[in-house]
Amino acid sequence: MPNTFGKLFSVTTWGESHGPGVGAVIDGCPPRLPIDAAEIQAELDRRRPGQSDIVTPRKEEDRVEILSGIFEGRTTGTPISLLVRNADQRPGAYDEMREKFRPSHADYTYEAKFGVRDHRGGGRSSARETVGRVAAGAIAKKILAHGVAGGGVEIRAFLTQVHDIVVPAAALEKFPSLAEVEATAVRCPDRETAARMIERIKAVRSEGDSVGGVIECRVRGVPPGLGEPVFDRLEADLAKAMLSLPATKGFEIGSGFSGTRLRGSEHNDAFETREGRVRTATNRSGGTQGGISNGEEIVFRVAFKPTATILQPQQTVDRQGAATELIGRGRHDPCVVPRAVPIVEAMTALVLVDHWMRQGAQNQVFKF
Amino acid sequence: MPNTFGKLFSVTTWGESHGPGVGAVIDGCPPRLPIDAAEIQAELDRRRPGQSDIVTPRKEEDRVEILSGIFEGRTTGTPISLLVRNADQRPGAYDEMREKFRPSHADYTYEAKFGVRDHRGGGRSSARETVGRVAAGAIAKKILAHGVAGGGVEIRAFLTQVHDIVVPAAALEKFPSLAEVEATAVRCPDRETAARMIERIKAVRSEGDSVGGVIECRVRGVPPGLGEPVFDRLEADLAKAMLSLPATKGFEIGSGFSGTRLRGSEHNDAFETREGRVRTATNRSGGTQGGISNGEEIVFRVAFKPTATILQPQQTVDRQGAATELIGRGRHDPCVVPRAVPIVEAMTALVLVDHWMRQGAQNQVFKF
Amino acid sequence: MPNTFGKLFSVTTWGESHGPGVGAVIDGCPPRLPIDAAEIQAELDRRRPGQSDIVTPRKEEDRVEILSGIFEGRTTGTPISLLVRNADQRPGAYDEMREKFRPSHADYTYEAKFGVRDHRGGGRSSARETVGRVAAGAIAKKILAHGVAGGGVEIRAFLTQVHDIVVPAAALEKFPSLAEVEATAVRCPDRETAARMIERIKAVRSEGDSVGGVIECRVRGVPPGLGEPVFDRLEADLAKAMLSLPATKGFEIGSGFSGTRLRGSEHNDAFETREGRVRTATNRSGGTQGGISNGEEIVFRVAFKPTATILQPQQTVDRQGAATELIGRGRHDPCVVPRAVPIVEAMTALVLVDHWMRQGAQNQVFKF
Amino acid sequence: MPNTFGKLFSVTTWGESHGPGVGAVIDGCPPRLPIDAAEIQAELDRRRPGQSDIVTPRKEEDRVEILSGIFEGRTTGTPISLLVRNADQRPGAYDEMREKFRPSHADYTYEAKFGVRDHRGGGRSSARETVGRVAAGAIAKKILAHGVAGGGVEIRAFLTQVHDIVVPAAALEKFPSLAEVEATAVRCPDRETAARMIERIKAVRSEGDSVGGVIECRVRGVPPGLGEPVFDRLEADLAKAMLSLPATKGFEIGSGFSGTRLRGSEHNDAFETREGRVRTATNRSGGTQGGISNGEEIVFRVAFKPTATILQPQQTVDRQGAATELIGRGRHDPCVVPRAVPIVEAMTALVLVDHWMRQGAQNQVFKF
């Protein structure tokens, strides 16, 4: 089931960029959770196009309709089907894509794999598919906020880098608030850096070019014990979740790639008892050890490549393999990373709820 | 099934570091593949302890026994059960671990999750578990070498970094041969760099310390079309496979984290027709686009933290949460990365065979 | 994923009887299959209420909308999302069900499991859920008719029993045509028996009572080799598929329960060579041996209990456990079995396509 | 994963009849369960050959070895690997099977599917494979007896029919004790009927023939709420479990096939409050409604065909399709049904523990 994520809290997304709509079915959502369309809509509004002057002006409301699984304001334990109609269908705008493969897009590989593709706006490979993920993630977030370990699991993603502009480490010492992240169009909690990022994005856009960046995601309030070695380690499932997002090229947790330059004596997180429970003095592990959460903050980073669509002529080939030239068109984000923030949070929430439920299966059984 | 990897070519590993043995069951292996114990043994010998003077001197032959699924030298399509007895059981050597949590190991998290653990040598969280992965990977490698796309899929992993010693880019321009990789104890194809890495490992070992590093893995011969969007993207499954390995902290494919510093116009891989088929002029994508292989070399890197076991006193707590000190003992690798090379290759092979078989399900059906 | 059926050709159904709609998402459908809404609609029309004078007069068109996965008349290999809006919502008609548990319905067990339920018309437990199965089955049937083993897999279900009226064995010697089955309102290919069945159904309806019956399903054209021992035997997956249908109480294949009264010497199917291939002289096995199809006709039967809703007073309890009386209301089928025929066929098609694709994964790999 | 059963409590079996051994890996067993090899051995002894004078005299001890997952007498939550060596290997005894297909065995279908097979004693298709199921079932039974709903889930299978000899209904009014079942060689709790069954089995054996029969299985103590509609209904998973056993041809729950002859007014189970909780006055439902347990006794029956191996000449073909004759040899049960009793119980236990754990996932989350 290549379009399903999660073993117990399972989300199946469907839909193409320019078909009738996109959506998701959530199977396994526990019953009795109070939730309504407005709460899901709020997360969709965070990923919506047209929300600021540095993202695509594509005009879509992305209005969610709940088709099943919620009755009188509460989940019933049956599948929740969510539908968002596509509004912005412009027939003809994508005719060139039918024959030419856009560089560093999925046009060629979809054609190679399936022998057919919906070329309009990238079809299934469009980031529009993530609408379903964000909608499902809104429900997962509510579970985490209220249902897990007495409540209080909080997920916060934000930009730490755009092109070569990097947030200073000092600015990230404390857990950023949602307000701090949402305060800037680039979703970087450091206002000064955010301003420079915005300036850079506008500059490359004016040249018809694009840039990438890095998102950091932190989670606090996760109890020790989540994660299922040896293969379904918590960080393994987070890595898969992140690399399943369009435009991602890397994932690291805790000390990540830079940790390879430390010695064991510098890298190890000493244990201590703090606030009545076992804690680590440092957090180079990034919140998991041996694939299982240790109760510390989960910290990971995701690399996003520069947007593949650029408004400059590029060399490519057509479906017959003949050399040709292509000029990007349409309305695209010169930097997708700010809009990816709610998507990273959604996928994180899906992973955590799924693992929380898996832990429940074990807890159910034993009183021994 | 937290101990199973793969949807169609499925590998379940079992076993603890100091229990009776470790092993794997492979379900879904296609029938009629010629394979014998010696071919599996050859891969196990590459990960075996005691193979050079920079790895742990733990003395285990790791002799594999085939218990089922292979008849008269060929697979039968039924489950293949592989068993490796543990030989090096030293009762009493690990008594201290019963009560004290080793920093940056999984002792505490296993205790938190399960309420019980086999403390001897890390039990299930020991890298000894990867014996089963390597044994299964040997079979997957043979399928790739002979059965896929006319044969010829070749996987090569090697070290590009130990501590702060990095292979020069120029030394990696061509696809390294197996002989070049195996020529040095650190499995780095650049001899000069390898010598410096070995020196560094010996130096930190003499101080009772440890170091980490980076493995690069390249795969050539993969046909276009492998990978199952949107969630089971090829790179997503590779990321999960790598982050499921002990001591890993990061994964990146193609341009990875450094690609975030390029512009779209610098990063995009232009298409061209070469050798009669669609190719890309550059390979910043790392062999996949939109989650599907594009026929170019697959290139990814994995970050390994420094070995958590060091022979220095460390602060920790015991099971009651009382502060205590612990001094690493036993025979450990000061740098696990060289022995991780065959493990990275094994996991890569498992991912590729699984995706090749998934593609087969589609191909079966249609002649349309 | 309790609402998903199939490992490679996976169908997820969603929706409640009186919510906004019902539907299905099909993940894993091979690309390039020509299919349009009319072909799906044709199967839905076979299960639709109001199609004859012995079924419920509930008036719903059950008009299917394709939301994704089909482009320019062909499947694209991406998820196919299908939506059928519920039209016949009568607020207030089901108020009594909110508090009282209907005997032999799922009201009590849903309440016990989930602590909440959509009581309107049975909510999720209503047979209306099978709309999604039939829609997905229409696609599977087309694959079987055209894509498998050169085409020509044909599935035919029909009634062999209503209450104590049983079709004579002689009437079932040949494979019934679709026209013969659809010729009578009860979908029994023997006209004389059908007339008696219809009479019986009308008689019990006039008394506010209901009856059950038996469906036989035959499949011809299945090649040898489908089925995945030891657990995913073809008959095991068929049994699961049938027992997952509302109102079913039994499944038997080939000789079934009556075969237990034969001796081995009477029961065994001798092999012979016929029409140039290995065949069995008899077919007490029912088309599978050891869990794998043997190329003979697949023959199985499914037992359906009498409709639980009857228009007579019944003893029951309310949510507080207090004794009360309930009189069935609403518009119900006095015998659900005729409308279950297309549903049995749909589930059979889902099982067969899934196993055909699983076989493809094996075939992909080896040329050895 | 065709050789794995269960989603959370997952059992993978492996092994061929005449290979080195058979076994199972249990993944997902909750931690801290006290269990030792003797408890597993006790169940294996119940299915062992040679236990009475009406079963095969094949002499195998079937001694189980625990290879992992149990430490100091308790499960650790990691995979439990169990191994039983095959002792009775008689090279040459099965040479005829290499070329000839035994009627109503799986020789032909395995050859058709895989293109290769281990012909010795049926290889993987031998009922010897069920050793792994019974071993895993022993652990599941212990969980059910002690860990579920305060303890006390009890599973009891027994024969109700051999050939045309049927236990009188009156003899089955109460839940049979284990002692009553084990008291007779045929595992029928009615001594008088058992004596006739034994006589019949001996009579057909003396003629080189075989007979089948029916097993009934009852489960008491199951709390309401187990089962996962719409596809993973409790009865659907039980049906699959039973039809996955060698030689089974049918499954029915509660009123089963005979219930199709009742009217709704006769068949419905009225609700009442008894012993302080909601109960049904009758149990034609067989313990589940809408796919979910209702707290009543679960009652189902399984049809077993007569043993395919008979010591009489039979017509068949060889691998080239040429007509030939075959005379059954070797030591076989003239009636496999008595030895199938512990296997039916084992599969039932696997289904129930898996569903109990799935219910735990839901319960974990909500306090709402």
Side-chain angles (χ1 to χ4, degrees):
Chain A
M1 303 207 47
N3 294 281
T4 297
F5 189 85
K7 302 211 171 177
L8 290 176
F9 189 89
S10 302
V11 177
T12 304
T13 75
W14 56 265
E16 279 83 36
S17 176
H18 287 66
V22 290
V25 178
I26 299 135
D27 197 5
C29 183
R32 303 190 301 279
L33 177 74
I35 189 106
D36 59 27
E39 292 169 281
I40 300 169
Q41 192 63 50
E43 284 296 316
L44 288 177
D45 290 346
R46 291 181 70 209
R47 87 161 281 295
R48 195 163 50 81
Q51 57 187 283
S52 82
D53 64 350
I54 57 162
V55 301
T56 171
R58 176 167 166 158
K59 283 280 173 286
E60 304 211 60
E61 286 194 289
D62 288 350
R63 186 63 44 190
V64 68
E65 182 185 5
I66 299 171
L67 294 172
S68 68
I70 295 177
F71 177 62
E72 299 183 342
R74 288 179 179 258
T75 59
T76 58
T78 64
I80 301 169
S81 180
L82 303 173
L83 166 63
V84 173
R85 295 272 175 188
N86 289 334
D88 191 57
Q89 296 171 24
R90 297 180 304 163
Y94 297 96
D95 282 356
E96 197 177 13
M97 292 184 191
R98 184 190 284 270
E99 294 303 322
K100 298 179 182 177
F101 299 131
R102 293 169 298 159
S104 290
H105 273 283
D107 301 343
Y108 167 64
T109 52
Y110 268 67
E111 183 99 13
K113 181 177 189 67
F114 298 116
V116 63
R117 69 194 156 94
D118 178 350
H119 64 280
R120 301 166 301 170
R124 180 66 180 155
S125 73
S126 163
R128 184 148 182 81
E129 172 269 326
T130 59
V131 164
R133 306 190 191 205
V134 170
I139 298 174
K141 276 185 166 182
K142 180 132 193 206
I143 293 173
L144 290 171
H146 296 279
V148 171
V153 175
E154 204 176 356
I155 299 171
R156 187 81 66 246
F158 46 87
L159 268 71
T160 58
Q161 185 194 317
V162 165
H163 204 196
D164 61 359
I165 300 167
V166 183
V167 176
L172 297 176
E173 272 167 22
K174 66 178 204 31
F175 194 91
S177 71
L178 178 60
E180 285 166 332
V181 172
E182 297 296 300
T184 67
V186 282
R187 294 198 166 105
C188 171
D190 185 51
R191 281 174 178 275
E192 190 274 328
T193 310
R196 290 169 53 218
M197 289 172 168
I198 292 168
E199 189 179 14
R200 177 68 54 87
I201 292 170
K202 289 182 176 173
V204 298
R205 183 176 57 186
S206 70
E207 298 168 41
D209 214 335
S210 65
V211 283
V214 175
I215 287 177
E216 180 165 302
C217 185
R218 295 190 189 174
V219 192
R220 63 180 175 187
V222 175
L226 300 198
E228 304 276 331
V230 293
F231 293 112
D232 297 346
R233 279 170 153 88
L234 192 57
E235 61 267 39
D237 279 356
L238 287 169
K240 170 156 181 166
M242 297 307 141
L243 268 294
S244 80
L245 292 173
T248 54
K249 303 301 287 182
F251 168 88
E252 61 177 15
I253 187 161
S255 63
F257 279 90
S258 68
T260 62
R261 293 169 185 260
L262 299 178
R263 291 177 170 225
S265 57
E266 298 163 318
H267 190 275
N268 282 354
D269 293 317
F271 284 111
E272 60 187 28
T273 293
R274 215 162 70 221
E275 296 147 22
R277 62 184 185 87
V278 174
R279 301 288 306 272
T280 61
T282 50
N283 186 21
R284 294 188 192 93
S285 298
T288 75
Q289 288 171 329
I292 300 169
S293 63
N294 66 355
E296 302 299 321
E297 213 170 272
I298 294 174
V299 184
F300 62 86
R301 282 164 297 279
V302 188
F304 288 82
K305 69 175 185 179
T307 312
T309 298
I310 54 175
L311 306 184
Q312 299 179 0
Q314 296 183 87
Q315 294 306 308
T316 190
V317 298
D318 64 18
R319 295 176 68 204
Q320 280 67 44
T324 183
E325 195 181 83
L326 183 136
I327 300 183
R329 272 192 271 196
R331 298 146 306 172
H332 292 273
D333 292 282
C335 180
V336 297
V337 197
R339 281 180 62 208
V341 163
I343 306 172
V344 165
E345 290 180 2
M347 293 305 299
T348 305
L350 296 184
V351 169
L352 290 170
V353 169
D354 195 47
H355 276 277
W356 177 248
M357 292 180 72
R358 292 176 76 173
Q359 183 64 8
Q362 167 195 313
N363 292 348
Q364 171 85 345
V365 174
F366 284 102
K367 322 301 174 198
F368 292 108
Chain B
M1 302 206 48
N3 294 281
T4 297
F5 189 84
K7 302 212 170 177
L8 290 176
F9 189 88
S10 302
V11 177
T12 304
T13 74
W14 56 265
E16 279 82 36
S17 176
H18 287 66
V22 292
V25 178
I26 299 135
D27 196 6
C29 183
R32 304 190 300 280
L33 177 74
I35 189 106
D36 61 26
E39 293 170 282
I40 300 168
Q41 192 63 50
E43 285 295 317
L44 288 178
D45 289 347
R46 292 181 71 209
R47 84 161 286 293
R48 194 163 51 80
Q51 57 187 282
S52 83
D53 65 347
I54 57 161
V55 303
T56 171
R58 176 167 165 158
K59 283 280 173 284
E60 305 210 59
E61 287 193 289
D62 287 351
R63 188 63 44 190
V64 68
E65 182 186 5
I66 299 172
L67 294 173
S68 68
I70 296 176
F71 177 62
E72 298 182 342
R74 288 178 181 259
T75 59
T76 58
T78 64
I80 301 170
S81 179
L82 303 172
L83 165 63
V84 174
R85 295 272 175 188
N86 289 333
D88 191 59
Q89 297 171 25
R90 297 180 304 163
Y94 297 97
D95 283 358
E96 196 177 14
M97 292 184 190
R98 183 191 285 270
E99 293 303 321
K100 297 180 181 176
F101 299 131
R102 292 170 299 159
S104 289
H105 273 283
D107 302 342
Y108 167 64
T109 51
Y110 267 66
E111 182 99 14
K113 181 176 189 67
F114 298 116
V116 63
R117 68 193 158 94
D118 178 350
H119 64 280
R120 300 166 303 169
R124 180 67 181 155
S125 73
S126 163
R128 185 150 182 80
E129 172 269 327
T130 59
V131 164
R133 305 191 191 204
V134 170
I139 298 174
K141 275 184 167 184
K142 180 132 195 209
I143 294 173
L144 290 171
H146 297 278
V148 171
V153 175
E154 205 176 355
I155 300 171
R156 188 80 68 246
F158 47 87
L159 268 72
T160 59
Q161 185 193 317
V162 165
H163 203 195
D164 59 359
I165 301 168
V166 184
V167 177
L172 297 177
E173 272 169 20
K174 67 177 203 33
F175 194 91
S177 72
L178 179 59
E180 286 167 333
V181 172
E182 297 295 300
T184 66
V186 280
R187 295 197 165 104
C188 171
D190 185 51
R191 280 172 179 277
E192 190 273 327
T193 310
R196 292 168 52 219
M197 289 172 168
I198 292 168
E199 189 179 16
R200 176 67 53 86
I201 292 170
K202 289 182 176 173
V204 299
R205 183 177 55 186
S206 71
E207 298 168 41
D209 215 335
S210 66
V211 283
V214 174
I215 287 178
E216 180 165 303
C217 186
R218 295 190 188 172
V219 192
R220 63 180 176 189
V222 175
L226 300 198
E228 304 276 332
V230 295
F231 293 112
D232 297 347
R233 278 169 152 89
L234 192 57
E235 61 266 40
D237 279 355
L238 286 168
K240 170 156 180 166
M242 296 308 141
L243 268 294
S244 81
L245 292 173
T248 54
K249 303 301 287 182
F251 169 90
E252 60 177 16
I253 187 161
S255 63
F257 278 91
S258 67
T260 61
R261 292 171 185 261
L262 298 178
R263 291 180 170 222
S265 56
E266 300 163 317
H267 191 275
N268 282 356
D269 293 317
F271 284 113
E272 61 188 25
T273 293
R274 215 161 72 221
E275 296 145 23
R277 62 183 184 86
V278 175
R279 300 289 306 273
T280 60
T282 49
N283 187 20
R284 292 186 194 96
S285 297
T288 76
Q289 288 171 328
I292 300 169
S293 64
N294 65 354
E296 302 300 322
E297 213 171 272
I298 294 174
V299 185
F300 62 86
R301 284 164 296 280
V302 188
F304 288 81
K305 69 174 186 179
T307 313
T309 299
I310 54 175
L311 306 184
Q312 299 180 1
Q314 296 183 87
Q315 294 305 309
T316 189
V317 298
D318 63 19
R319 295 175 69 206
Q320 280 66 45
T324 182
E325 196 181 81
L326 182 137
I327 301 182
R329 271 191 272 194
R331 299 147 306 173
H332 292 274
D333 293 282
C335 179
V336 297
V337 196
R339 282 180 63 206
V341 163
I343 308 171
V344 164
E345 290 180 3
M347 292 306 299
T348 304
L350 296 184
V351 170
L352 289 171
V353 168
D354 194 48
H355 277 277
W356 177 249
M357 293 181 71
R358 292 176 75 172
Q359 182 65 7
Q362 168 194 312
N363 292 348
Q364 169 87 342
V365 174
F366 284 102
K367 321 305 175 196
F368 292 108
Chain C
M1 302 206 48
N3 294 282
T4 297
F5 189 83
K7 302 210 171 178
L8 290 176
F9 188 89
S10 302
V11 177
T12 304
T13 75
W14 56 265
E16 278 83 35
S17 176
H18 286 66
V22 292
V25 179
I26 300 136
D27 196 6
C29 183
R32 305 189 300 279
L33 177 74
I35 189 105
D36 60 25
E39 292 170 281
I40 300 168
Q41 191 64 49
E43 285 296 316
L44 287 177
D45 289 347
R46 291 180 72 210
R47 83 160 286 294
R48 194 164 51 81
Q51 58 186 282
S52 83
D53 65 348
I54 57 161
V55 302
T56 171
R58 176 166 165 159
K59 284 278 173 286
E60 305 210 58
E61 285 194 289
D62 287 350
R63 187 64 42 191
V64 68
E65 183 185 6
I66 299 172
L67 294 173
S68 68
I70 296 176
F71 177 62
E72 299 183 343
R74 288 180 179 258
T75 59
T76 57
T78 63
I80 301 170
S81 180
L82 303 172
L83 166 64
V84 173
R85 294 273 176 188
N86 289 333
D88 191 59
Q89 296 171 24
R90 297 180 304 163
Y94 297 96
D95 282 357
E96 197 177 13
M97 291 183 191
R98 183 190 284 271
E99 294 303 322
K100 297 179 182 178
F101 299 132
R102 292 170 301 159
S104 289
H105 273 283
D107 301 341
Y108 167 64
T109 51
Y110 268 67
E111 181 100 14
K113 181 177 189 68
F114 297 117
V116 62
R117 68 193 157 93
D118 178 349
H119 64 280
R120 300 167 302 170
R124 180 69 180 153
S125 74
S126 163
R128 185 151 182 79
E129 172 269 327
T130 60
V131 163
R133 305 191 191 204
V134 169
I139 298 173
K141 275 184 166 183
K142 181 135 194 206
I143 294 173
L144 290 171
H146 297 278
V148 170
V153 175
E154 204 176 355
I155 300 170
R156 188 81 67 248
F158 46 87
L159 267 72
T160 59
Q161 185 193 318
V162 165
H163 203 196
D164 60 359
I165 301 168
V166 184
V167 177
L172 297 177
E173 273 168 21
K174 65 178 206 31
F175 194 91
S177 72
L178 180 59
E180 285 167 332
V181 171
E182 297 296 300
T184 66
V186 281
R187 294 196 166 104
C188 172
D190 185 51
R191 281 175 177 275
E192 190 275 326
T193 310
R196 291 168 53 217
M197 288 172 168
I198 291 169
E199 189 179 15
R200 177 68 53 86
I201 292 170
K202 289 183 175 172
V204 298
R205 183 177 57 186
S206 70
E207 298 168 40
D209 215 335
S210 66
V211 284
V214 174
I215 287 177
E216 180 165 302
C217 185
R218 295 189 188 173
V219 192
R220 62 180 179 189
V222 175
L226 300 198
E228 305 277 331
V230 295
F231 293 111
D232 298 347
R233 279 170 151 89
L234 192 57
E235 61 266 40
D237 279 355
L238 286 168
K240 171 157 179 166
M242 297 307 141
L243 269 295
S244 81
L245 291 173
T248 54
K249 302 301 288 181
F251 168 91
E252 60 177 16
I253 187 161
S255 64
F257 278 90
S258 67
T260 61
R261 292 169 185 261
L262 298 178
R263 289 176 172 226
S265 56
E266 300 164 318
H267 190 275
N268 282 356
D269 294 317
F271 283 112
E272 61 187 27
T273 293
R274 217 162 67 219
E275 298 146 22
R277 62 181 185 87
V278 175
R279 300 289 306 273
T280 60
T282 49
N283 187 20
R284 293 187 193 96
S285 298
T288 76
Q289 288 171 327
I292 300 169
S293 63
N294 65 354
E296 302 299 322
E297 214 171 273
I298 294 173
V299 185
F300 62 86
R301 284 164 297 280
V302 188
F304 288 81
K305 69 174 186 179
T307 312
T309 299
I310 55 175
L311 306 184
Q312 298 179 1
Q314 295 182 86
Q315 294 306 309
T316 191
V317 298
D318 64 18
R319 295 175 68 205
Q320 281 66 44
T324 182
E325 195 180 82
L326 181 137
I327 301 183
R329 272 193 271 195
R331 298 146 307 173
H332 292 272
D333 292 282
C335 180
V336 296
V337 197
R339 282 180 61 208
V341 163
I343 306 171
V344 164
E345 290 180 3
M347 292 307 298
T348 304
L350 296 185
V351 170
L352 289 170
V353 168
D354 194 47
H355 276 277
W356 178 248
M357 293 181 70
R358 293 176 75 172
Q359 182 66 6
Q362 168 195 313
N363 293 347
Q364 170 87 343
V365 174
F366 284 102
K367 321 302 176 198
F368 292 107
Chain D
M1 305 206 47
N3 294 281
T4 297
F5 189 84
K7 303 212 170 175
L8 291 177
F9 188 88
S10 303
V11 177
T12 303
T13 75
W14 57 264
E16 279 83 36
S17 176
H18 287 65
V22 291
V25 178
I26 300 135
D27 197 5
C29 183
R32 303 191 301 280
L33 176 74
I35 190 106
D36 59 27
E39 292 170 281
I40 299 169
Q41 191 64 50
E43 284 297 315
L44 288 177
D45 289 347
R46 291 181 71 208
R47 85 160 283 294
R48 195 163 50 81
Q51 57 187 282
S52 82
D53 64 350
I54 57 162
V55 302
T56 172
R58 176 166 165 158
K59 283 280 173 287
E60 303 210 62
E61 284 193 292
D62 288 350
R63 187 64 43 191
V64 68
E65 182 186 5
I66 299 171
L67 294 173
S68 68
I70 296 177
F71 177 62
E72 299 183 342
R74 289 179 180 257
T75 60
T76 58
T78 64
I80 300 169
S81 180
L82 303 173
L83 166 63
V84 173
R85 295 271 175 188
N86 289 334
D88 190 59
Q89 297 171 25
R90 297 180 304 163
Y94 297 97
D95 282 356
E96 197 177 13
M97 292 182 190
R98 184 191 284 271
E99 294 303 322
K100 298 180 181 177
F101 299 132
R102 293 169 299 159
S104 289
H105 273 283
D107 301 342
Y108 167 63
T109 51
Y110 268 67
E111 182 99 14
K113 182 178 189 68
F114 298 116
V116 64
R117 71 195 155 93
D118 179 350
H119 64 279
R120 300 166 302 169
R124 180 69 181 153
S125 73
S126 163
R128 185 148 183 81
E129 171 269 326
T130 59
V131 163
R133 306 191 191 203
V134 170
I139 299 174
K141 275 184 166 183
K142 181 133 193 207
I143 293 174
L144 290 170
H146 296 279
V148 171
V153 175
E154 204 176 354
I155 300 171
R156 187 83 66 248
F158 47 87
L159 268 72
T160 58
Q161 185 193 318
V162 165
H163 204 195
D164 60 359
I165 301 168
V166 183
V167 176
L172 297 177
E173 272 168 20
K174 67 179 203 32
F175 194 91
S177 72
L178 179 58
E180 286 166 333
V181 171
E182 297 295 299
T184 67
V186 282
R187 293 196 166 105
C188 171
D190 184 50
R191 281 174 178 274
E192 191 276 328
T193 310
R196 292 168 54 217
M197 289 172 167
I198 292 168
E199 189 179 15
R200 176 67 53 85
I201 292 170
K202 288 182 177 175
V204 297
R205 183 176 58 186
S206 69
E207 299 168 39
D209 215 336
S210 66
V211 285
V214 174
I215 287 177
E216 180 166 303
C217 185
R218 295 191 188 171
V219 192
R220 63 179 176 189
V222 176
L226 300 198
E228 304 277 330
V230 295
F231 293 112
D232 297 347
R233 280 171 151 87
L234 192 58
E235 61 266 41
D237 279 356
L238 287 169
K240 170 157 181 168
M242 297 307 141
L243 269 294
S244 82
L245 292 174
T248 54
K249 302 301 287 181
F251 169 90
E252 60 177 17
I253 187 163
S255 63
F257 278 90
S258 68
T260 61
R261 293 170 185 259
L262 298 178
R263 291 179 170 221
S265 57
E266 298 163 319
H267 191 275
N268 282 356
D269 293 316
F271 283 112
E272 60 187 26
T273 292
R274 217 161 68 221
E275 298 145 22
R277 63 184 184 87
V278 174
R279 301 289 306 274
T280 61
T282 49
N283 187 21
R284 293 186 193 95
S285 298
T288 75
Q289 289 172 328
I292 300 169
S293 64
N294 66 354
E296 302 299 322
E297 212 170 273
I298 294 175
V299 185
F300 62 86
R301 282 165 297 279
V302 188
F304 289 81
K305 69 175 185 177
T307 313
T309 299
I310 55 175
L311 305 184
Q312 299 179 1
Q314 296 183 86
Q315 295 305 309
T316 190
V317 299
D318 64 17
R319 295 176 68 205
Q320 281 66 44
T324 183
E325 195 181 83
L326 182 136
I327 301 183
R329 271 191 271 194
R331 298 147 307 172
H332 292 274
D333 293 283
C335 180
V336 296
V337 197
R339 282 180 62 207
V341 163
I343 307 172
V344 165
E345 290 180 2
M347 293 306 299
T348 305
L350 296 184
V351 170
L352 289 171
V353 168
D354 194 47
H355 277 278
W356 178 249
M357 291 180 71
R358 292 176 76 172
Q359 182 65 8
Q362 167 194 314
N363 292 348
Q364 170 87 342
V365 176
F366 284 103
K367 321 303 175 199
F368 291 110

